[in-house]
């Protein structure tokens, strides 16, 4: 089964950029839709973005549109989240996720019950 490991979190100033990565193990990476969620302290985990197996279908939460970009490199079995114009409210632990949702229904990755595997999370802190 797929195993996920996030990296790339850290401290960044408001307006800055950061790219977090999620490396996957296993030989079925391209068959999984991948997503990013985030959770701030004391808050519920929320959906950020998702991408289907071949990277031709993408779905973003409203707050992520225009600022965040999800992408994947199946040869490297890695998914990325590029975050630009960061705001203090973006501060959270960012988790990657894998799910076996229908190929065209990438929005289903926003539902946590559709997630098959989670990474351990990487902390992103945006200072004011």
């Amino acid at each position: 089964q797929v195993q996920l490991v996030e990296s790339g979190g850290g401290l960044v100033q408001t307006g800055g950029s950061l790219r977090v990565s999620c490396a996957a193990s296993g030989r079925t990476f391209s068959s999984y839709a991948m997503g990013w969620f985030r959770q701030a302290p004391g808050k519920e985990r929320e959906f950020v973005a998702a991408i289907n197996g071949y990277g031709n279908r993408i779905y973003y939460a409203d707050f992520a549109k225009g600022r965040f970009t999800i992408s994947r490199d199946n040869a490297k079995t890695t998914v990325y989240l590029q975050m630009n114009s960061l705001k203090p409210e973006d501060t959270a632990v960012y988790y990657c996720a894998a799910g076996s949702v229908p190929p065209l229904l990438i929005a289903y990755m926003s539902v946590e019950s559709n997630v098959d595997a989670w990474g351990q999370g990487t902390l992103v802190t945006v200072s004011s």
Side-chain angles (χ1 to χ4, degrees):
Q1 196 59 238
V2 63
Q3 305 292 319
L4 308 173
V5 180
E6 299 96 332
S7 62
L11 177 64
V12 62
Q13 292 184 338
T14 297
S17 298
L18 199 67
R19 187 177 75 164
V20 291
S21 302
C22 177
S25 63
R27 291 185 288 274
T28 60
F29 180 72
S30 64
S31 69
Y32 283 96
M34 298 294 298
W36 288 94
F37 293 75
R38 69 184 188 182
Q39 186 171 26
K43 303 287 187 179
E44 296 292 322
R45 186 158 55 191
E46 64 178 344
F47 171 77
V48 178
I51 187 168
N52 75 342
Y54 286 99
N56 61 341
R57 295 288 186 273
I58 292 173
Y59 179 65
Y60 293 105
D62 285 343
F63 68 80
K65 294 177 180 176
R67 296 193 299 125
F68 294 4
T69 303
I70 188 171
S71 61
R72 67 191 296 161
D73 185 336
N74 286 350
K76 296 181 178 179
T77 65
T78 300
V79 63
Y80 306 95
L81 184 68
Q82 175 69 45
M83 298 180 284
N84 300 325
S85 302
L86 283 163
K87 307 171 182 179
E89 51 263 45
D90 295 320
T91 295
V93 175
Y94 284 73
Y95 297 91
C96 67
S100 53
V101 301
L104 298 179
L105 302 179
I106 189 60
Y108 284 13
M109 277 295 295
S110 66
V111 180
E112 292 193 16
S113 63
N114 290 327
V115 174
D116 296 321
W118 295 92
Q120 85 288 350
T122 186
L123 177 63
V124 173
T125 302
V126 184
S127 66
S128 60

